Amino acid sequence: MPPKKRSSGTPQKKELKGNMKSGSPDNSENAVLSPERHKDKEPEFVSLSEELQATNPICDHAWRIWEREIRSMDKANMPYSNRHQWGACLFIAGMELDGISLTFTQFLKVVGLSVKQFISLVRKMDVNVDTISPKVNTALKRLENKYNVTLALYQRFVKTCEKISAEPDKAKRTELWESSWTMFLLAKGTFLQMEDDLVIAFQLLLCVLEYFTKRFTPSLLQSPYKSAVSSSTLSPPTRTSRRNQGKAKPRPPEMDVQLLETLCKESDCSVDEVKNVYQTTFCAFLDSVGLSGLQVLPPIETLSKQYEELYHKNKDFDARLFLVDDETLSPNKTEVSKVEMTPRKNLSGDDVAIPVPQTPIRAAMNSIQQLRVDLTSASDQPSSNLLFYYKNCTVDPTEEIRKRVEELGQVFIKRFAQAVGQHCEGLGRKRFNLGAQLYYKVMESMLKSEEKRISVQNFSKLLNNATFHTSLLACALEVVMATYVGNSLKSGGFGCSSGASDSVETDLCFPWILDIFQLPAFDFYKVIESFIKAEPTLKHDMMKHLEQCEHVIMESLAWKADSPLFDLLKQSREEGPGEQAEPPATLNQPLHHNHTAADLYLSPVRPSRQPPATEAEPPTPGTKALRSNSLSLFYKKLYRMAYMRLKTLFSHLLTSHPELEPIIWTLLQHTLQNEYELMRDRHLDQLIMSAMYAICKVKNVDLRFKTIVTAYKEMPNTNQETFKRVLIREGQYDSIIVFYNLVFMQKLKTNILQYSSPRPPPLSPIPRIPCSPYKNSPLRVPGSNNVYVSPLKSSRMSPVVMTPRSRILISIGESFGSADKFQKINEMVSSTDWSLKRSLNGGSAPKPLKRLRFDMDGQDEADGSKSSGESTLIQKLAEMSSTRTRMQEQKLKEESVKEHPEP
């Protein structure tokens, strides 16, 4: 390992003052902190603000965060000092106000935390719906992703360097490591926009190692690198003076092919791809920094100075500090010890698997290598079997398929290079070719299966369906991209249009492929199950990834405003009140996964007894269209996923009230079936949380949104934007509480209130959870012995003006903080539909509240009054009941007076 300290090229603490311009406007109000303005704050906090070069607005904002949300936190769950917490508050405030002056490393040095400790602290502080904004969360995710990737690359860099060189001079070895690592960081930061792409960054690292290895003294190289260096190896390393540096004639860099192939072989990396990175990205980098013709080791001072500028420009962490084992970059010890294990046979001959560490890079290389092996016999052109199917069609699709693949390939390669970095078109082309191979392979498998199933060879309708082909190619490319990038999904993808999500680090994650092909998610969903069945070599982790893609589509992506799903739902609704996307009565029936791509793509109507391959004729005018097959299957899967999500959240919150689960499910199922417009540009989990809160309200069970959200954050595959940024009206977003009060409750209050009546609506059937097509074992869910009927639809004449009964459904004292704010919203919901719509579209409607907090501990009402003894909600219900009784008595007395006037 390199020595613990070094003096050259590393930013020291003395740089913390005066080396960066403030991100805030340069005026007396914002540029310099004025301690006399902050006498109301603790002196140590103000002192830390000065050290971190905070402006007056940042200091004020950070102190508000501390006082309102952090100071009163349970210290048992916060093992950090006040100074650490203050630093985190200042970071949050600085990110929100775009006013952070220091780099992230400088910030950590002052506060005294590592990257991992700091990120953990900030997430522990996220106790309320508005503590950490999506903007801050996005910045933290970017920093964490980049740190994890860079750490993995550095660990591999150290292992590889130890295998390459046997330099006995410790100082010399340190200098070589420092030069090569700094060059790599500079190349990665300059030419790769997407710096958390582990595979491409690692391929670039191998290019840098080739550049330095062939300049080592040959006698100091170890096997197999010593024998790999060709006879054309450059002279032993010498230093060039700065005076003569500019006189060297530029000369194209020469790749030592044998050495590069050895590096790739030792790392299980694709030689072709690394050569492509070398010839395009790495050579372009060398040329840009004036090192193309340099035949000696580049001076560390030059490299370090250039990286210094890049590091300060990005304001993130200084990755050179990995070389000195700096405390700000130290990983948690538990994470270092947690290595993925992969079996390896015992070399002694015993048939025993010996676990060996599998690093992130090794795991990625293994997955890529396995994909290439699976596609060894496949071609990126149609096989003879496929051409036979093409020629057998009524309308030959050969030319259309060829043109489509060519056009989509051009789009893919262009957008890939835009996302990843300059000169990466070649890598994009190689990945697209792999996707094309898989596309043709799966298509042939699908057609063979259909031919065997229905004894038909003419698939003209399916093979001339453009949406089917685009979806199939997109699915193949998603498998390739997920293999390279990792099985990750873009966070917040369901409606993330805020300015906070301007990072490109996750652009290649799903649903990137849908965006570049302009393919509706609902159309893509139709091919997933058939794709998995048609590709037997698909690995379990990739099946899981495609299943996650399907879940993301069902929970949000299919519900985008322009989704074809809404057209199908509208058609289903227009067919009459008896027609539904999927009748509730079928929920407790088994879900048979026997649908093929032909079933779902050829026609919007449910197939008759004709085989799917010949079915696609539009309904005869004047006849009733049959229910959409794709819509029916979508809703079957949606119901089952929604129930599983609800059951998981319920198990964390309401185990003492098991009778509420079927009631909440009935409200949720009714909403998805009859009020599906509430899903437009929203997320399924938003409706689940709202339905749970509503039923608890009407059933007098004390469950608050803060409690629901706290449990929700602990569930897998959740994102904070789901409850922090919900669509309220067109172009306006707010918290889940505001959505519940202004949208959900207003739309469903009549239906919700029915559950408090003596004759509540009948319960919906509990969905039968089938054996998933993506798993080997079924998920067991307790069934119900009750007899179920479809839920009662809400009346079209539902009241608009708030009544005492509907008013109790509002989330009181959990988001508005004061009675006047609550009164404004109460005025809005008390207006007519027409005036409400007018106010929502502009006019005199109040602006969305920027700080919407959960209920304070011990407070239950909007005015902050504390509950004591009997539930405040029960008290209000009693008061309302008493008022209603008095009104009824008064009305009877008046009527009696009218009927029997006094003489």
Side-chain angles (χ1 to χ4, degrees):
M1 290 294 293
K4 296 292 182 183
K5 296 181 180 179
R6 88 168 201 261
S7 59
S8 62
T10 305
Q12 302 297 321
K13 194 170 182 177
K14 65 181 180 181
E15 297 178 2
L16 294 180
K17 294 186 179 180
N19 67 333
M20 293 293 295
K21 294 183 179 180
S22 173
S24 302
D26 188 14
N27 54 53
S28 57
E29 171 69 19
N30 293 332
V32 181
L33 187 73
S34 305
E36 62 275 7
R37 284 190 45 179
H38 304 286
K39 293 181 180 179
D40 59 323
K41 305 174 180 65
E42 295 190 26
E44 292 84 357
F45 174 84
V46 179
S47 176
L48 179 61
S49 300
E50 286 187 286
E51 288 185 69
L52 294 174
Q53 300 182 12
T55 62
N56 288 319
I58 291 175
C59 185
D60 288 334
H61 186 25
W63 186 252
R64 283 194 297 269
I65 296 173
W66 162 257
E67 283 204 312
R68 287 198 314 189
E69 300 166 10
I70 311 303
R71 186 199 289 270
S72 60
M73 286 183 62
D74 182 7
K75 300 303 178 185
N77 296 325
M78 185 62 69
Y80 295 94
S81 67
N82 282 356
R83 181 180 176 87
H84 293 154
Q85 296 175 53
W86 288 337
C89 290
L90 287 162
F91 177 86
I92 294 169
M95 289 298 301
E96 289 180 347
L97 300 179
D98 295 321
I100 291 184
S101 299
L102 304 180
T103 66
F104 191 45
T105 290
Q106 292 171 333
F107 201 98
L108 294 175
K109 291 278 188 183
V110 173
V111 177
L113 291 171
S114 68
V115 173
K116 284 291 187 182
Q117 290 172 332
F118 184 81
I119 292 174
S120 175
L121 166 60
V122 174
R123 288 186 174 149
K124 284 181 180 293
M125 291 169 56
D126 193 9
V127 291
N128 283 320
V129 75
D130 54 357
T131 306
I132 310 298
S133 67
K135 179 178 181 180
V136 176
N137 192 57
T138 298
L140 280 177
K141 283 183 178 179
R142 174 193 164 274
L143 283 167
E144 186 175 32
N145 289 343
K146 186 174 180 179
Y147 169 82
N148 290 336
V149 168
T150 309
L151 174 62
L153 291 167
Y154 179 72
Q155 291 171 340
R156 174 53 67 95
F157 167 79
V158 171
K159 291 179 182 178
T160 306
C161 285
E162 289 174 341
K163 292 179 180 179
I164 291 175
S165 174
E167 173 65 65
D169 188 334
K170 189 175 182 180
K172 184 70 173 177
R173 183 173 71 248
T174 300
E175 186 178 8
L176 290 172
W177 284 24
E178 186 177 338
S179 297
S180 52
W181 178 245
T182 305
M183 175 185 272
F184 164 68
L185 295 176
L186 183 60
K188 181 168 73 79
T190 304
F191 274 77
L192 294 184
Q193 291 175 208
M194 203 176 66
E195 291 191 70
D196 66 352
D197 189 307
L198 182 64
V199 174
I200 297 179
F202 178 60
Q203 292 169 341
L204 184 60
L205 176 60
L206 293 181
C207 297
V208 173
L209 290 173
E210 184 272 350
Y211 180 88
F212 276 85
T213 301
K214 66 188 180 187
R215 287 167 170 77
F216 285 177
T217 303
S219 60
L220 298 178
L221 293 176
Q222 302 186 89
S223 180
Y225 301 98
K226 185 172 185 177
S227 58
V229 175
S230 64
S231 58
S232 61
T233 301
L234 299 174
S235 304
T238 58
R239 288 292 172 194
T240 179
S241 66
R242 294 183 181 180
R243 184 186 308 169
N244 297 325
Q245 210 173 322
K247 298 181 181 180
K249 294 182 180 180
R251 161 182 165 184
E254 297 178 2
M255 180 199 308
D256 190 321
V257 177
Q258 188 175 352
L259 175 58
L260 197 64
E261 289 177 347
T262 302
L263 285 164
C264 292
K265 182 179 179 181
E266 291 294 303
S267 302
D268 296 322
C269 197
S270 168
V271 176
D272 290 339
E273 291 190 359
V274 177
K275 286 180 180 178
N276 185 281
V277 172
Y278 195 106
Q279 293 165 346
T280 56
T281 304
F282 186 59
C283 287
F285 160 73
L286 293 175
D287 188 58
S288 69
V289 294
L291 296 177
S292 292
L294 190 66
Q295 299 185 16
V296 294
L297 291 174
I300 179 59
E301 295 81 4
T302 301
L303 295 172
S304 192
K305 181 181 178 181
Q306 290 176 317
Y307 176 75
E308 187 87 8
E309 295 173 357
L310 180 68
Y311 149 67
H312 281 295
K313 178 183 176 182
N314 294 335
K315 290 188 177 181
D316 54 13
F317 59 88
D318 186 351
R320 293 170 300 178
L321 297 180
F322 278 116
L323 290 162
V324 294
D325 197 22
D326 188 85
E327 64 276 3
T328 61
L329 298 181
S330 297
N332 296 339
K333 292 182 179 180
T334 54
E335 293 185 1
V336 174
S337 62
K338 267 196 309 185
V339 290
E340 209 173 337
M341 307 303 281
T342 183
R344 183 179 64 184
K345 284 191 176 181
N346 194 331
L347 298 179
S348 64
D350 298 332
D351 192 13
V352 179
I354 301 176
V356 296
Q358 183 171 351
T359 64
I361 293 177
R362 183 182 294 276
M365 295 301 110
N366 287 347
S367 297
I368 294 169
Q369 187 180 40
Q370 186 61 55
L371 175 66
R372 290 180 167 276
V373 170
D374 293 341
L375 295 176
T376 300
S377 59
S379 170
D380 59 359
Q381 298 295 324
S383 66
S384 58
N385 288 334
L386 267 181
L387 291 175
F388 170 80
Y389 285 119
Y390 294 173
K391 300 300 180 183
N392 215 34
C393 291
T394 306
V395 179
D396 189 342
T398 306
E399 185 58 22
E400 284 299 316
I401 292 175
R402 186 196 64 78
K403 284 173 57 179
R404 185 183 299 107
V405 171
E406 182 180 337
E407 291 170 0
L408 292 177
Q410 292 173 354
V411 171
F412 178 91
I413 294 166
K414 178 182 178 182
R415 294 292 295 275
F416 180 90
Q418 289 175 353
V420 176
Q422 304 175 47
H423 310 287
C424 289
E425 295 90 347
L427 282 181
R429 184 172 292 105
K430 288 184 177 296
R431 293 195 188 178
F432 182 81
N433 288 343
L434 284 175
Q437 289 177 251
L438 187 56
Y439 161 71
Y440 287 121
K441 180 184 179 185
V442 173
M443 189 196 308
E444 182 176 336
S445 177
M446 283 182 174
L447 296 179
K448 286 181 177 179
S449 177
E450 282 290 272
E451 179 184 0
K452 182 178 180 181
R453 186 172 71 94
I454 59 177
S455 301
V456 171
Q457 293 181 333
N458 183 353
F459 298 104
S460 185
K461 294 183 184 298
L462 179 64
L463 292 178
N464 281 283
N465 186 298
T467 304
F468 162 70
H469 285 288
T470 305
S471 302
L472 184 60
L473 179 58
C475 194
L477 285 167
E478 178 58 32
V479 169
V480 173
M481 298 303 290
T483 302
Y484 276 84
V485 179
N487 303 340
S488 56
L489 306 176
K490 189 184 296 184
S491 59
F494 63 89
C496 196
S497 57
S498 67
S501 300
D502 55 0
S503 159
V504 298
E505 274 70 21
T506 56
D507 272 359
L508 297 184
C509 298
F510 187 80
W512 178 79
I513 192 66
L514 305 186
D515 297 336
I516 67 166
F517 282 179
Q518 297 183 342
L519 177 66
F522 182 72
D523 288 333
F524 179 82
Y525 132 85
K526 299 175 188 177
V527 84
I528 293 176
E529 188 174 325
S530 296
F531 188 99
I532 292 174
K533 290 179 178 178
E535 180 46 48
T537 64
L538 209 59
K539 299 299 175 286
H540 178 72
D541 63 335
M542 201 50 58
M543 291 184 188
K544 289 292 297 179
H545 174 69
L546 291 179
E547 182 185 20
Q548 287 181 323
C549 292
E550 185 179 70
H551 286 176
V552 171
I553 290 171
M554 290 191 293
E555 72 190 13
S556 59
L557 295 181
W559 301 99
K560 287 188 174 182
D562 57 351
S563 173
L565 174 59
F566 288 102
D567 295 332
L568 285 176
L569 285 167
K570 184 180 179 182
Q571 292 171 15
S572 177
R573 179 65 60 89
E574 289 173 349
E575 290 169 9
E579 291 298 325
Q580 301 164 359
E582 183 60 28
T586 66
L587 288 177
N588 54 5
Q589 297 174 2
L591 176 58
H592 298 291
H593 292 273
N594 56 358
H595 298 278
T596 66
D599 290 326
L600 303 182
Y601 283 99
L602 287 180
S603 173
V605 299
R606 187 185 299 279
S608 62
R609 295 182 180 180
Q610 297 175 340
T614 61
E615 174 267 321
E617 300 299 330
T620 305
T623 62
K624 183 179 179 180
L626 295 177
R627 189 177 297 118
S628 166
N629 198 19
S630 58
L631 180 61
S632 174
L633 179 60
F634 179 85
Y635 255 78
K636 284 180 180 178
K637 289 187 174 184
L638 173 69
Y639 283 150
R640 285 158 174 81
M641 185 182 76
Y643 176 70
M644 287 301 297
R645 291 276 187 87
L646 170 62
K647 188 172 184 64
T648 302
L649 189 59
F650 190 93
S651 67
H652 286 86
L653 297 168
L654 293 167
T655 52
S656 59
H657 297 277
E659 73 282 358
L660 295 184
E661 182 188 299
I663 302 175
I664 298 171
W665 163 245
T666 299
L667 174 60
L668 178 62
Q669 190 273 326
H670 165 84
T671 306
L672 293 173
Q673 175 184 307
N674 299 299
E675 305 293 348
Y676 54 80
E677 279 293 330
L678 286 176
M679 280 294 294
R680 191 182 291 269
D681 281 335
R682 295 192 180 99
H683 195 288
L684 174 65
D685 292 347
Q686 293 162 357
L687 268 62
I688 292 175
M689 288 186 275
S690 297
M692 182 174 287
Y693 184 86
I695 295 301
C696 287
K697 269 287 188 182
V698 82
K699 291 294 186 181
N700 300 334
V701 174
D702 186 15
L703 179 66
R704 306 186 181 192
F705 260 120
K706 177 179 179 179
T707 309
I708 295 175
V709 166
T710 300
Y712 178 76
K713 288 193 294 186
E714 300 302 316
M715 290 172 60
N717 302 319
T718 58
N719 186 279
Q720 68 157 346
E721 289 202 11
T722 306
F723 56 86
K724 291 191 176 185
R725 191 171 182 275
V726 190
L727 177 67
I728 308 300
R729 57 181 75 89
E730 185 177 358
Q732 296 189 12
Y733 296 80
D734 221 308
S735 73
I736 182 72
I737 300 176
V738 179
F739 164 73
Y740 171 83
N741 280 323
L742 293 186
V743 182
F744 185 88
M745 192 271 291
Q746 299 304 316
K747 191 74 173 177
L748 292 163
K749 59 188 175 185
T750 302
N751 185 271
I752 295 169
L753 287 169
Q754 290 175 343
Y755 295 99
S756 65
S757 69
R759 300 181 62 183
L763 299 177
S764 295
I766 298 297
R768 177 181 293 193
I769 306 303
C771 178
S772 169
Y774 318 118
K775 302 170 186 172
N776 295 323
S777 58
L779 296 172
R780 299 188 61 189
V781 177
S784 175
N785 296 323
N786 298 333
V787 177
Y788 298 114
V789 188
S790 60
L792 182 67
K793 293 186 178 180
S794 59
S795 170
R796 294 186 179 181
M797 301 301 291
S798 57
V800 175
V801 180
M802 293 292 291
T803 65
R805 294 183 70 217
S806 61
R807 190 176 290 116
I808 67 170
L809 299 175
I810 288 183
S811 171
I812 299 177
E814 294 202 66
S815 61
F816 306 108
S818 61
D820 59 330
K821 292 179 181 178
F822 180 79
Q823 182 61 33
K824 290 180 181 179
I825 292 185
N826 198 24
E827 292 171 1
M828 289 180 63
V829 299
S830 297
S831 62
T832 64
D833 270 348
W834 178 82
S835 61
L836 175 61
K837 182 177 180 181
R838 182 177 180 182
S839 66
L840 290 178
N841 290 335
S844 59
K847 295 180 179 179
L849 304 175
K850 293 182 178 179
R851 305 291 293 180
L852 293 163
R853 304 194 61 225
F854 284 120
D855 50 282
M856 300 289 288
D857 291 338
Q859 296 180 353
D860 194 50
E861 301 304 313
D863 59 1
S865 61
K866 295 184 179 180
S867 60
S868 59
E870 189 178 18
S871 166
T872 309
L873 178 59
I874 295 177
Q875 293 175 9
K876 280 191 170 292
L877 287 171
E879 292 172 6
M880 292 174 183
S881 177
S882 176
T883 302
R884 190 184 305 114
T885 302
R886 289 198 302 270
M887 291 173 65
Q888 290 173 348
E889 291 175 352
Q890 180 65 27
K891 185 176 180 181
L892 289 173
K893 183 181 293 186
E894 290 173 356
E895 291 176 351
S896 175
V897 169
K898 289 179 183 178
E899 293 176 3
H900 306 284
E902 294 181 1

